[in-house]
Amino acid sequence: MQLFWSKGYEATSLQDLLEATGLSKSSLYESFGNKQSLFEAAFTRYFDSRSKQMRTRLEQADSPLAFIRACLLSVLEDAERNTPRGCMLVNVANEFSTADPAVQQLIGLATRRFREVFEQAFAQAQSCGEIPATRAPAALALYMHCSMSGLRTQVKSGLQRKDLLSVIEMVMANLS
């Protein structure tokens, strides 16, 4: 998963996969069938584990909007890497676009999973009075997903921390 996340599908060679997994070529093919199947399993693992982590963080957050702010601020962690990798979902969507129907289905599933967590957070924020009841949680979840995707892309392009923080503050201000 880490290898595909860092390098992308096309740039990841069979040799890279053999070294990363410690498997022989025959064992890799026996276990996963082919590079595409291994990639799909790795991408599924990514969004399954990330959405589960997000749900746990939402449950443990001081408030729903504190969770939202923490998600936005998490982009700064990637900015501190020597080589930011961005969001694997965004990377996969950019690399594959609509070229592969199986991957396109996984992209749609990953997107729904992340947006569901954000929608739950915004519904909870409404329930506790953090945001007005007039704001649609589904629309806010889409806005959040797009904002996160854009921020992660900008991190990869080298946007400075102070600029990222100013965008994060604007996103937070637009939620209420």
Side-chain angles (χ1 to χ4, degrees), residues 80-133:
E80 294 168 1
R81 293 176 178 270
N82 288 338
T83 307
R85 15 177 224 190
C87 170
M88 189 174 185
L89 170 56
V90 173
N91 296 348
V92 169
N94 287 333
E95 184 172 4
F96 281 87
S97 184
T98 58
D100 185 301
V103 175
Q104 188 61 35
Q105 284 185 330
L106 291 175
I107 291 167
L109 180 57
T111 300
R112 282 190 303 279
R113 291 248 181 98
F114 295 139
R115 284 175 51 189
E116 286 169 358
V117 178
F118 290 136
E119 187 172 350
Q120 181 182 356
F122 288 119
Q124 289 176 8
Q126 281 182 328
S127 293
C128 67
E130 287 186 315
I131 61 171

Side-chain angles (χ1 to χ4, degrees), residues 22-90:
L23 296 173
S24 67
K25 189 175 182 180
S26 61
S27 294
L28 183 80
Y29 285 121
E30 187 177 306
S31 298
F32 297 100
N34 58 32
K35 178 181 169 183
Q36 176 82 16
S37 295
L38 176 57
F39 170 77
E40 290 172 10
F43 182 48
T44 300
R45 180 172 183 213
Y46 166 80
F47 67 77
D48 280 345
S49 64
R50 291 295 266 214
S51 61
K52 183 178 178 183
Q53 288 171 355
M54 288 173 67
R55 288 189 189 286
T56 299
R57 288 182 184 149
L58 175 57
E59 290 169 7
Q60 296 172 348
D62 291 337
S63 75
L65 281 187
F67 164 77
I68 295 295
R69 179 180 292 282
C71 287
L72 290 163
L73 290 171
S74 73
V75 303
L76 299 176
E77 296 167 13
D78 199 33
E80 294 168 1
R81 293 176 178 270
N82 288 338
T83 307
R85 15 177 224 190
C87 170
M88 189 174 185
L89 170 56
V90 173

Side-chain angles (χ1 to χ4, degrees), residues 73 76 79 151 155 158-170:
L73 290 171
L76 299 176
L151 284 166
V155 164
L159 192 66
Q160 298 295 309
R161 179 184 175 87
K162 67 178 180 56
D163 295 326
L164 292 166
L165 286 169
S166 75
V167 171
I168 290 168
E169 289 309 314
M170 281 193 269

Side-chain angles (χ1 to χ4, degrees), residues 14-23:
L14 178 60
Q15 188 59 40
D16 292 333
L17 293 170
L18 297 176
E19 290 172 13
T21 61
L23 296 173

